[in-house]
Amino acid sequence: MIKAEIALSDVAFAPTWHEARLAIGASRITPHAHPMLETVVVRASGRWFMVTRERQAGATSRDSASPLTIVDVRDDGEFHALHQACLLWPLDYIMVEGAQAGHRLRIRAGVIGSAPVYCAAVDDHVSISWDSADFADRPAMIDTEVASHQLALHTSYAARQLYTGVVMLTERAAMEVEPGRARFRYPEPMADGAPTEDDGEDRLPRFAEALASAVSSRPWAEGSVSLELSGGMDSATVAVALAQLHGDIDSKGILLDGEVRGPQVQRRRFIAERLGLADHTVDISALPPGLDLDAPHETYGFCREFYLEACSALWASARDKGRHTLFTGIGGDELFPAYLDEVSAGAAKGPLWARDARSYAEGLLTPRALAASRSRPLFDAPASPVPVTSLLASACRAPDLLKHGQWPVNPLSDPRLAYLCHRLPRSSREGREVMRRYLESHLGGDVFPKGYLKETFANVLPPLIATHAPRLAGQLRECALADLGLVDRRAVLALLETIAETRSHPASSAFASFLSLERCARQASA
């Protein structure tokens, strides 16, 4: 939510607001300008803090309509009260605190992780940005342990990032910097939950109430909202909750090819008609993912939405209509976990295609990288109120969304909703039963019948990679990850040949992950 370049020597100066940014000596902190965000600056003798945060629906402040509030306090009690109120803000935020004595700086993050920031402290200078691509314009080294785990398709959410020395401010974490020293502090892990016993209570009203609360927690301006509508249950659930409270909602989606297209189109039509949505789609075949390693690309961040071309078209159309807030169904997959005593040993290891994809991915690695990938990572962030996969999805998409003028809202990732759903009895979680009943009560039983054909991107990449295989093979005569000793170039070319021959979804997943990291490695070595 902010970008900053701060010399610790400048922290001795009193902060002033100038040209939409906070100036501390020659240093600057620039909040991202967006109607859904506000900035509060609190100054006291010898110390100050600045917080940029999501606006809260119905919140009262000194000037709730203003994007900026500046408070000068003389009383320690008032400073502490304002500080605590910002720390306990229920939506997302980034806070920067300065202490003039000792030139000390602290950066904190809120719990939701909608748009995390990346930080680097070098020679008593701190750089902060919501866009990791901003760290690619300076000398960078690839963290080979992090890269090995990512190449092996291990899901990890951590402060430690692909470029050595750059950390991501994970939810509830803090980075403390003073001359000659920098420390990163993780929060305490969330306690493990357990499902309740099935006592016959109908959980649907509680689910509907928690969902409505998550959807309505931010201010609403008519004509400002779009909704990502895939045609699946998660985004449809958010669509229903939004439509129960508001009108004038645009829905956006990517139409897929193959056997899933017909059912997807029909479900979208049912949902849009029954909820009164203005629907807009693009075809994935018209805007496929870019695979060409030699094509000119903008600076590449550590992770990004893989179907960015199609998503960008939708986000741009929302921006051009004056719609600046994008609701999504991110988080739905994690709302209804199956606990270990509820699943078979095979199911606990994940779907077969995912295991096959990891096998293909490990086949690319050198012995050194394979050993690193099989070591238990020591850098994972502790368990959080927001599921890890939701946090990762937000980190991947947020920079590009912000560049397109969109602020992401993921109601199904709301910590209070997740807390409720994770503790539902098995009968309400299994098969997403409570969500299915919620949708049936608002859309009818013909939209998501049991066993419906789900939309999936599984068939997008295999034919695309197969078509581009000869060009990619030529471009991979030079391989940055092979030069780093992480992958075997011959194994990469063999995997590419396998995809060209079989169009395997698991093989394509492994290759796509490699391709993304290869771009980052080439950028770092340029």
Side-chain angles (χ1 to χ4, degrees):
M1 282 186 264
I2 65 170
K3 294 190 178 186
E5 297 291 339
I6 306 171
L8 293 184
S9 58
D10 283 338
V11 179
F13 293 95
T16 59
W17 191 260
H18 181 66
E19 295 182 348
R21 64 191 66 182
L22 193 69
I24 314 105
S27 299
R28 299 291 184 269
I29 306 174
T30 306
H32 183 66
H34 193 277
M36 289 293 284
L37 301 178
E38 63 184 9
T39 295
V40 177
V41 178
V42 178
R43 300 181 293 201
S45 177
R47 55 181 173 165
W48 55 269
F49 70 84
M50 166 185 158
V51 62
T52 296
R53 65 194 185 190
E54 289 186 277
R55 293 182 184 274
Q56 185 181 12
T60 57
S61 68
R62 295 169 187 264
D63 184 0
S64 59
S66 171
L68 172 68
T69 301
I70 298 178
V71 185
D72 289 307
V73 300
R74 298 180 180 177
D75 179 80
D76 286 346
E78 184 182 5
F79 185 92
H80 179 72
L82 290 169
H83 186 262
Q84 286 297 109
C86 288
L87 286 179
L88 296 175
W89 193 252
L91 301 179
D92 211 18
Y93 67 83
I94 296 295
M95 177 187 283
V96 181
E97 306 169 53
Q100 291 172 302
H103 302 177
R104 291 172 288 131
L105 202 65
R106 178 186 290 138
I107 308 104
R108 301 180 191 258
V111 68
I112 297 178
S114 300
V117 296
Y118 299 83
C119 310
V122 179
D123 293 334
D124 292 343
H125 183 97
V126 180
S127 299
I128 308 169
S129 179
W130 48 260
D131 186 3
S132 61
D134 288 342
F135 294 91
D137 62 357
R138 61 197 76 187
M141 289 181 59
I142 297 291
D143 185 320
T144 57
E145 185 180 3
V146 171
S148 297
H149 280 276
Q150 291 186 10
L151 284 166
L153 303 184
H154 294 165
T155 300
S156 63
Y157 181 74
R160 192 167 156 189
Q161 293 293 298
L162 191 62
Y163 288 174
T164 300
V166 179
V167 297
M168 179 175 67
L169 210 59
T170 61
E171 55 84 34
R172 300 177 297 143
M175 182 176 177
E176 301 171 354
V177 188
E178 58 187 277
R181 185 179 185 185
R183 293 177 295 175
F184 192 93
R185 292 185 182 273
Y186 277 131
E188 290 297 316
M190 290 293 294
D192 291 336
T196 58
E197 294 295 326
D198 194 344
D199 55 7
E201 178 189 346
D202 184 2
R203 263 62 179 199
L204 179 56
R206 293 175 61 192
F207 174 80
E209 181 183 357
L211 177 60
S213 176
V215 165
S216 61
S217 58
R218 296 158 181 86
W220 184 274
E222 293 294 337
S224 69
V225 170
S226 295
L227 161 74
E228 282 191 341
L229 187 66
S230 66
M233 291 177 68
D234 297 337
S235 58
T237 298
V238 176
V240 168
L242 281 173
Q244 290 293 300
L245 298 170
H246 304 288
D248 191 15
I249 300 166
D250 269 9
S251 53
K252 310 284 184 184
I254 300 171
L255 292 183
L256 304 174
D257 294 327
E259 64 175 347
V260 301
R261 185 181 180 93
Q264 183 195 24
V265 169
Q266 184 181 50
R267 283 197 300 272
R268 293 184 65 86
R269 180 171 58 81
F270 283 159
I271 296 167
E273 288 177 355
R274 294 173 190 182
L275 298 180
L277 309 176
D279 198 34
H280 173 222
T281 60
V282 297
D283 280 271
I284 190 65
S285 57
L287 294 163
L291 300 176
D292 191 345
L293 284 168
D294 289 341
H297 287 280
E298 60 182 281
T299 309
Y300 208 79
F302 299 147
C303 54
R304 69 192 300 176
E305 167 67 62
F306 201 80
Y307 302 97
L308 183 61
E309 290 76 5
C311 288
S312 290
L314 292 173
W315 300 338
S317 72
R319 178 193 59 208
D320 294 345
K321 283 187 170 184
R323 297 183 181 269
H324 54 62
T325 302
L326 183 73
F327 280 74
T328 84
I330 287 174
D333 288 342
E334 297 78 22
L335 277 183
F336 307 107
Y339 294 92
L340 286 177
D341 61 346
E342 300 172 349
V343 297
S344 65
K349 295 179 181 177
L352 185 60
W353 77 263
R355 283 178 268 170
D356 289 343
R358 285 192 290 271
S359 178
Y360 279 117
E362 288 185 347
L364 301 179
L365 303 183
T366 62
R368 176 169 69 93
L370 184 61
S373 74
R374 289 180 173 173
S375 64
R376 292 191 63 83
L378 301 175
F379 47 84
D380 275 2
S384 72
V386 179
V388 164
T389 46
S390 299
L391 292 167
L392 283 169
S394 293
C396 283
R397 310 179 91 227
D400 291 303
L401 278 165
L402 267 57
K403 290 174 186 176
H404 284 83
Q406 303 299 298
W407 181 257
V409 180
N410 311 316
L412 302 187
S413 298
D414 183 85
R416 290 154 294 190
L417 180 63
Y419 183 90
L420 169 70
C421 291
H422 290 181
R423 286 155 180 79
L424 290 173
R426 181 176 182 176
S427 59
S428 294
R429 283 180 288 109
E430 201 163 50
R432 303 184 178 201
E433 178 63 15
V434 71
M435 179 183 281
R436 187 193 64 77
R437 290 179 56 214
Y438 178 82
L439 290 168
E440 186 177 79
S441 67
H442 292 286
L443 295 175
D446 56 339
V447 181
F448 294 103
K450 289 186 177 181
Y452 75 93
L453 183 62
K454 298 180 180 180
E455 76 289 342
T456 172
F457 283 87
N459 295 321
V460 174
L461 285 176
L464 190 64
I465 294 174
T467 300
H468 287 268
R471 178 183 290 244
L472 286 167
Q475 293 170 348
L476 286 168
R477 292 190 185 97
E478 298 292 333
C479 179
L481 290 171
D483 292 342
L484 289 169
L486 296 177
V487 301
D488 184 321
R489 194 178 72 86
R490 291 171 298 180
V492 171
L493 295 176
L495 179 60
L496 185 57
E497 187 176 341
T498 295
I499 298 169
E501 292 174 353
T502 66
R503 306 204 171 192
S504 161
H505 168 47
S508 298
S509 296
F511 188 81
S513 178
F514 155 78
L515 210 59
S516 178
L517 281 168
E518 174 67 13
R519 283 199 177 112
C520 285
R522 290 185 180 209
Q523 188 172 263
S525 61

